[in-house]
């Protein structure tokens, strides 16, 4: 499956990638294993960003909105907030 975005957190321990089918995979680089998987809204993901302390993942989506997910629980905290 083709990847659309890739981001590495500040201490280079985790990375997140988005795919053309709107899945987001979070990978633990140190353990070389998948940390978790998220299903983004049914629209194109334009960017990903980790919060500085690796507590949240922000997802920019194609119609000028963002979603924010808590990393530890893999739960969506802000859903499709229009900018």
């Amino acid at each position: 499956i083709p990847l659309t975005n890739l981001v590495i957190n500040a201490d280079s321990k985790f990375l997140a990638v988005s795919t053309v089918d709107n899945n987001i995979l979070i990978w633990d680089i140190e353990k070389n294993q998948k940390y978790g998987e998220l299903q983004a809204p049914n629209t194109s993901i334009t960017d990903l960003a980790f919060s500085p302390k690796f507590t949240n993942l922000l997802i920019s989506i194609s119609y000028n909105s963002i979603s924010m997910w808590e990393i530890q629980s893999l739960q969506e905290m802000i859903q499709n907030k229009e900018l």
Side-chain angles (χ1 to χ4, degrees), residues 9 14 26-28 31 34-38 50-51 53-58 68-77:
N9 78 321
F14 292 88
I26 302 172
W27 192 261
D28 184 324
K31 294 180 181 176
K34 184 170 77 171
Y35 179 85
E37 186 171 346
L38 310 171
F50 284 112
S51 63
K53 294 186 179 182
F54 188 66
T55 55
N56 300 304
L57 178 67
L58 291 130
M68 184 173 73
W69 294 71
E70 183 184 53
I71 300 289
Q72 186 174 10
S73 68
L74 299 175
Q75 297 296 311
E76 191 171 25
M77 307 302 289

Side-chain angles (χ1 to χ4, degrees), residues 18-83:
S18 61
T19 63
V20 294
D21 60 356
N22 294 329
N23 283 323
I24 299 169
L25 303 172
I26 302 172
W27 192 261
D28 184 324
I29 297 170
E30 289 186 333
K31 294 180 181 176
N32 195 27
Q33 66 185 23
K34 184 170 77 171
Y35 179 85
E37 186 171 346
L38 310 171
Q39 179 64 45
N42 211 7
T43 186
S44 297
I45 298 169
T46 58
D47 205 0
L48 301 171
F50 284 112
S51 63
K53 294 186 179 182
F54 188 66
T55 55
N56 300 304
L57 178 67
L58 291 130
I59 303 165
S60 172
I61 48 183
S62 63
Y63 50 90
N64 297 325
S65 296
I66 61 166
S67 293
M68 184 173 73
W69 294 71
E70 183 184 53
I71 300 289
Q72 186 174 10
S73 68
L74 299 175
Q75 297 296 311
E76 191 171 25
M77 307 302 289
I78 297 174
Q79 183 177 23
N80 297 337
K81 174 79 173 169
E82 192 170 326
L83 300 175

